[in-house]
Amino acid sequence: MEHFLKYIMYMSDDTECNLACPVDWTPATALHPELTYPRSSVSSSSSCTFAVLVSSGLDRGSKGQISTFSSFISTVNQKKEAAENRSSPTHLVFPNIKNVRDLPPICLDVRQKQRISTEASSSSETKAPVLPEPVLPNQPKTMKDFQEDTEKAKSSGDWKAVHDFYLTTFDSFPELNAAFKKDATTSFNTIEDSGINAKFVNAVYDALLNTPQDIQKTVLKGIINSLLREWKGPRTKDDLRAYFILLQNPQFNNTSTYVIYAHLLRQIATLVEADHHFLVHWFKKLSQKRFKQLVERLLQFISLRLFPAKPEEFPPITKCSWWIPSASKVLSLLNTANSLVHPPLIPYTDFYNSTLDHIDLMEEYHTWQSFGNSHRFSFCQYPFVISIAAKKIIIQRDSEQQMISIARQSLVDKVSRRQRPDMNMLFLNMKVRRTHLVSDSLDELTRKRADLKKKLKVTFVGEAGLDMGGLTKEWFLLLIRQIFHPDYGMFTYHKDSHCHWFSSFKCDNYSEFRLVGILMGLAVYNSITLDIRFPPCCYKKLLSPPIIPSDQNTPVGICSVTTDDLCQIMPELAHGLSELLSYEGNVEEDFYSTFQVFQEEFGIIKSYNLKPGGDKIPVTNQNRKEYVQLYVDFLLNKSIYKQFAAFYYGFHSVCASNALMLLRPEEVEILVCGSPELDMHALQRSTQYDGYAKTDLTIRYFWDVVLGFPLDLQKKLLHFTTGSDRVPVGGMADLNFKISKNETSTNWLPVAHTCFNQLCLPPYKSKKDLKQKLIIGISNSEGFGLE
């Protein structure tokens, strides 16, 4: 009896149920609005007994998100050791209950429409029937009264008034509404206002953890009673408010309350879609602090259910397989709420659960692919909790499996035709000339479309270089640099935003845009980072849709865009359009604009109508929003459709995989380009040495010089030694950077093996000499030529 609520169990003559460990749920295809709700009946004459094991020791404060397996296990152990030193448990007996049925399972799929959509959530009202609100009990206490009672209790030691408040407030859903509803006479049936006094809720919860243990137990007892009450039909808005309030209870940071927490999560998860919309919009009104606490609490719940510090502290996973799916569903509501706020309440990375890095990710991925949302839960149904590092592992292993499959098929084809197998048939072999880099690359990729999913190897004609990875990196770098040069005309560089965008010039052949898409796909497929500066909306378009549609007439690369997206490319134009929207004068008379845009193409000004007859439709105060939306859509979608479609098909010809559906646009950008933020101290900590020790004078000189370099020289050093100036997804540690001793004259420059991320450094005798030679070396580092 170490912990509060280690299990909750009741039994009847004909039915045996365990509130902590209900019988396994029957698989259902999905959650639907038409789902009915289970009911439980309370009978005073029933012979069943509802026993709760209670401990007076409750952990205070929340556990942070767990970064590694070992760190969270050690943290939990410390918490449990502290709990064991506290007072012994007592027993509380609750009302008799029987005939409680299991709720439907939580099992959603990222590929289905069960995910809460932004469009559906953004409506101001839902079409759910409005039920009459029940009459609430009287609750005379105000926040000021509660705070005064709390202060008196602290000074006098008499907590009776505070205890009575908590006892009454948390006894039932109506009492919760009576206590925290801003106006008991108002229904508050809109999604824009929950009708809850948030400050009062926060004050009550902030004070709760500092109250005596019997008060905290009283609150949990009341929550249990509330969750086990009979359900009569659909949930009312007062029920939703009660769920919303209970979910914020900081007591659920304690693992001893997880049985109650799990049932609360399950009831919320199985609400109909219309009720979820209300909760989503109420969640987005929370403060950043409270919102983040909810997210961290759910992530911790999932982590500790996956890897409990003590196996016996929770019911067996087979008996409560619905815990994690329920928590994941509620977490998805919070994620949707976060996406509706601009800027988001918390970064999307705060939803990552790094504990999942320690599970079998490929099993999760294959389960998701095989079963979808019909039978088995997979974290891939909720990809926002999977870190970018974990997603990269899934994509890499999926790519490797595709490479092996393609290579095996090539081998079988050769043997079946009685031809001698050749090792080169297992690779995508690119043989190009530096002087004809783009044309040769385009020709090679066009001829070898069937080999795009094989391992890439590059050979520069006339150069005696064996590609162990370095030549491939250099090929990418030189090709990207040439294609994106302004004189080449494919992309326009915008100085204000420091990014490239697709040229809208019409041409007869868009194959070179397809080549750029293939390059990006090959980079992701072969785990190579590229120095491409596309705006974020490019990656949003690249995932629209994430899988090539089967109908070739379906538009691709078209997504919803706003002035915020335009601002990432053309900030001045976006600012001008925003000014137009907020202009207080007469737009038609002062601007003389029509639904028409003008673009210069090869020295000729061409006009385009934004809508039929647009040149004759003036822009007015009434239609200016439509004008701005059509203008932005024209610039970012319609005017470059053919260019981007070729780019889209090129990328997906290499990266076609369900794994792409797990990615956010921002994550695709990181996979393609890496991170531009360098941490040379992290590189110093992870560097390996061959022939040197990290305490050697030359090595100390080296790091003194490098850490003192400006950012541009640090990037040149990274490019010199690795072939790219970007940091991979796993950070500097993933570079496997090595410094080797080069037993040559100190008059020689440093040498690098980009294939192995290795720097060969002569034993320079002075810091000045090392700095001079290093700068010369990294500033003149292109080519693999041998005389």
Side-chain angles (χ1 to χ4, degrees):
M1 301 193 205
E2 297 176 14
H3 309 296
F4 178 75
L5 281 173
K6 186 166 182 180
Y7 64 83
I8 305 171
M9 180 181 291
Y10 63 91
M11 300 176 64
S12 63
D13 297 333
D14 56 348
T15 306
E16 181 177 346
C17 297
N18 189 331
L19 186 59
C21 312
V23 294
D24 279 347
W25 42 270
T26 303
T29 55
L31 288 177
H32 294 286
E34 63 270 14
L35 280 177
T36 57
Y37 288 84
R39 299 180 181 179
S40 61
S41 58
V42 180
S43 172
S44 57
S45 61
S46 172
S47 61
C48 62
T49 302
F50 182 25
V52 183
L53 302 181
V54 198
S55 167
S56 60
L58 291 175
D59 295 338
R60 301 183 181 181
S62 64
K63 300 180 179 72
Q65 183 174 351
I66 297 147
S67 59
T68 63
F69 177 76
S70 58
S71 64
F72 85 74
I73 288 296
S74 61
T75 301
V76 172
N77 284 333
Q78 292 172 5
K79 292 284 186 181
K80 295 307 168 188
E81 289 172 4
E84 289 170 357
N85 295 328
R86 296 174 183 167
S87 57
S88 60
T90 58
H91 292 272
L92 295 178
V93 178
F94 290 101
N96 295 331
I97 301 167
K98 75 175 187 178
N99 297 334
V100 178
R101 302 190 313 182
D102 272 341
L103 300 182
I106 315 302
C107 192
L108 295 182
D109 186 0
V110 69
R111 293 173 291 185
Q112 304 297 329
K113 294 183 179 179
Q114 288 82 3
R115 297 178 68 189
I116 302 298
S117 64
T118 300
E119 293 79 6
S121 299
S122 60
S123 60
S124 59
E125 298 287 345
T126 67
K127 296 182 180 179
V130 178
L131 300 176
E133 298 288 326
V135 178
L136 299 180
N138 291 325
Q139 176 55 264
K141 289 281 186 182
T142 64
M143 183 168 71
K144 183 178 179 182
D145 295 334
F146 170 77
Q147 290 174 333
E148 289 177 352
D149 288 345
T150 303
E151 291 301 320
K152 289 178 183 177
K154 288 179 180 178
S155 58
S156 66
D158 183 4
W159 290 87
K160 184 178 185 307
V162 177
H163 183 276
D164 290 345
F165 171 82
Y166 280 109
L167 176 65
T168 303
T169 299
F170 288 89
D171 183 60
S172 68
F173 282 11
E175 293 287 359
L176 278 170
N177 279 271
F180 298 118
K181 203 170 177 180
K182 287 185 285 191
D183 186 350
T185 62
T186 306
S187 60
F188 293 104
N189 276 330
T190 70
I191 61 177
E192 297 304 325
D193 187 0
S194 65
I196 295 172
N197 186 339
K199 290 184 178 179
F200 195 5
V201 173
N202 294 339
V204 169
Y205 279 142
D206 289 343
L208 177 59
L209 296 183
N210 296 314
T211 60
Q213 294 296 315
D214 60 331
I215 295 179
Q216 298 185 42
K217 295 173 190 175
T218 296
V219 170
L220 292 171
K221 174 184 174 181
I223 294 174
I224 294 170
N225 289 336
S226 297
L227 295 178
L228 290 176
R229 291 187 188 279
E230 183 178 8
W231 286 16
K232 295 181 179 179
R235 302 285 81 197
T236 68
K237 298 303 175 286
D238 279 347
D239 293 334
L240 299 186
R241 274 183 276 274
Y243 286 132
F244 182 65
I245 293 168
L246 291 180
L247 198 60
Q248 301 176 57
N249 188 343
Q251 289 178 295
F252 294 135
N253 287 327
N254 193 322
T255 55
S256 63
T257 65
Y258 274 12
V259 172
I260 307 174
Y261 191 36
H263 281 269
L264 172 62
L265 295 176
R266 189 177 203 183
Q267 290 191 16
I268 294 174
T270 51
L271 292 171
V272 296
E273 186 176 358
D275 290 340
H276 282 159
H277 288 321
F278 276 84
L279 288 176
V280 162
H281 283 269
W282 293 350
F283 284 143
K284 76 177 187 180
K285 299 294 179 68
L286 288 171
S287 67
Q288 182 187 50
K289 175 185 175 182
R290 305 290 172 176
F291 187 89
K292 188 170 185 177
Q293 286 174 347
L294 285 181
V295 173
E296 290 178 342
R297 190 174 298 135
L298 283 161
L299 292 174
Q300 173 187 284
F301 175 83
I302 292 172
S303 297
L304 293 177
R305 175 62 276 190
L306 284 172
F307 299 109
K310 297 179 180 179
E312 69 276 6
E313 70 177 334
F314 299 136
I317 191 68
T318 55
K319 295 286 188 177
C320 56
S321 54
W322 47 270
W323 278 31
I324 290 176
S326 298
S328 299
K329 175 59 183 174
V330 177
L331 201 56
S332 75
L333 301 181
L334 290 164
N335 181 60
T336 302
N338 194 53
S339 67
L340 292 177
V341 183
H342 301 286
L345 287 169
I346 60 176
Y348 71 89
T349 53
D350 283 358
F351 283 89
Y352 287 165
N353 190 339
S354 56
T355 308
L356 302 184
D357 297 353
H358 303 282
I359 67 175
D360 189 338
L361 295 170
M362 291 311 295
E363 181 182 356
E364 295 289 317
Y365 179 66
H366 292 314
T367 297
W368 175 60
Q369 285 199 303
S370 301
F371 295 94
N373 69 322
S374 57
H375 293 91
R376 293 178 61 183
F377 169 81
S378 167
F379 282 108
C380 292
Q381 296 163 355
Y382 302 95
F384 57 86
V385 301
I386 304 176
S387 69
I388 180 62
K391 289 173 184 173
K392 181 183 178 183
I393 292 173
I394 292 175
I395 291 173
Q396 283 181 335
R397 291 182 183 173
D398 189 51
S399 299
E400 289 168 1
Q401 291 173 3
Q402 291 186 48
M403 287 180 182
I404 293 170
S405 177
I406 296 293
R408 183 185 293 118
Q409 187 60 47
S410 297
L411 183 61
V412 171
D413 290 344
K414 278 276 190 182
V415 173
S416 65
R417 292 196 297 266
R418 299 190 177 185
Q419 297 175 349
R420 177 175 293 181
D422 182 2
M423 284 301 295
N424 286 327
M425 62 181 288
L426 303 179
F427 298 93
L428 169 58
N429 294 288
M430 299 290 297
K431 188 174 291 188
V432 296
R433 296 168 292 176
R434 287 184 183 271
T435 53
H436 299 78
L437 194 61
V438 175
S439 59
D440 283 0
S441 298
L442 187 59
D443 290 343
E444 287 279 271
L445 291 173
T446 302
R447 287 192 303 106
K448 299 176 179 178
R449 284 186 179 180
D451 297 334
L452 292 179
K453 289 183 179 291
K454 295 180 180 178
K455 185 69 176 176
L456 177 62
K457 280 198 172 184
V458 175
T459 302
F460 286 101
V461 176
E463 298 183 12
L466 180 62
D467 187 12
M468 299 296 290
L471 291 179
T472 296
K473 293 179 184 179
E474 188 176 11
W475 176 70
F476 274 112
L477 181 72
L478 298 178
L479 197 54
I480 291 298
R481 183 180 300 172
Q482 188 167 333
I483 288 175
F484 281 84
H485 195 282
D487 294 342
Y488 207 74
M490 288 180 61
F491 298 94
T492 304
Y493 181 71
H494 295 271
K495 294 182 179 179
D496 293 340
S497 57
H498 304 291
C499 70
H500 291 94
W501 191 241
F502 295 77
S503 171
S504 60
F505 295 165
K506 304 297 183 292
C507 60
D508 297 329
N509 189 350
Y510 295 95
S511 59
E512 290 184 343
F513 288 98
R514 187 181 183 94
L515 169 62
V516 179
I518 291 174
L519 286 176
M520 280 184 53
L522 287 173
V524 173
Y525 203 64
N526 290 272
S527 302
I528 293 172
T529 56
L530 300 179
D531 187 12
I532 295 180
R533 293 180 175 86
F534 280 136
C537 71
C538 173
Y539 300 96
K540 185 164 61 172
K541 288 166 65 68
L542 201 57
L543 294 179
S544 302
I547 299 297
I548 296 178
S550 55
D551 184 358
Q552 294 184 352
N553 295 321
T554 303
V556 296
I558 300 293
C559 67
S560 176
V561 288
T562 66
T563 52
D564 290 337
D565 295 305
L566 183 62
C567 188
Q568 296 165 354
I569 308 168
M570 310 169 198
E572 287 189 5
L573 178 57
H575 177 73
L577 293 175
S578 298
E579 289 289 318
L580 175 65
L581 291 175
S582 60
Y583 186 69
E584 296 180 355
N586 189 311
V587 171
E588 182 178 2
E589 295 180 359
D590 295 345
F591 288 91
Y592 295 102
S593 295
T594 60
F595 277 69
Q596 191 178 34
V597 295
F598 299 90
Q599 284 191 333
E600 181 182 351
E601 297 180 10
F602 301 108
I604 301 174
I605 302 296
K606 291 188 177 182
S607 62
Y608 298 92
N609 288 342
L610 296 177
K611 59 192 296 189
D615 56 329
K616 296 181 177 60
I617 303 175
V619 179
T620 66
N621 292 63
Q622 289 72 36
N623 65 17
R624 57 183 170 180
K625 287 185 179 179
E626 180 189 11
Y627 168 78
V628 169
Q629 182 56 45
L630 290 174
Y631 196 171
V632 174
D633 184 63
F634 174 81
L635 291 175
L636 303 186
N637 284 324
K638 293 180 179 177
S639 67
I640 61 163
Y641 177 75
K642 290 185 178 180
Q643 294 89 323
F644 197 91
F647 172 75
Y648 172 94
Y649 282 114
F651 179 81
H652 287 272
S653 66
V654 183
C655 285
S657 168
N658 285 334
L660 283 181
M661 303 175 73
L662 304 176
L663 299 174
R664 295 173 57 96
E666 300 93 331
E667 293 170 331
V668 177
E669 181 178 10
I670 293 174
L671 284 176
V672 171
C673 305
S675 173
E677 298 179 3
L678 305 186
D679 184 352
M680 302 308 284
H681 289 282
L683 182 63
Q684 181 184 14
R685 289 192 296 270
S686 62
T687 296
Q688 302 173 12
Y689 300 96
D690 180 16
Y692 282 118
K694 63 180 179 180
T695 55
D696 287 350
L697 195 59
T698 302
I699 297 300
R700 286 186 293 174
Y701 287 157
F702 174 80
W703 288 114
D704 285 346
V705 169
V706 170
L707 295 177
F709 272 166
L711 181 60
D712 63 326
L713 284 179
Q714 289 181 343
K715 287 191 172 185
K716 284 184 178 181
L717 171 66
L718 202 61
H719 172 249
F720 176 70
T721 53
T722 69
S724 172
D725 62 358
R726 312 277 286 193
V727 181
V729 170
M732 289 294 195
D734 270 12
L735 285 175
N736 296 318
F737 184 66
K738 178 185 286 187
I739 299 178
S740 299
K741 192 170 187 178
N742 194 355
E743 298 286 0
T744 59
S745 169
T746 53
N747 293 326
W748 284 41
L749 297 176
V751 176
H753 300 295
T754 54
C755 312
F756 310 108
N757 298 337
Q758 184 178 14
L759 175 66
C760 298
L761 197 65
Y764 300 113
K765 301 303 181 183
S766 69
K767 185 188 298 186
K768 181 180 178 181
D769 192 26
L770 185 147
K771 182 176 181 179
Q772 181 184 16
K773 297 291 194 305
L774 186 60
I775 291 176
I776 293 173
I778 64 178
S779 300
N780 301 272
S781 59
E782 202 169 282
F784 201 104
L786 295 176
E787 295 296 336

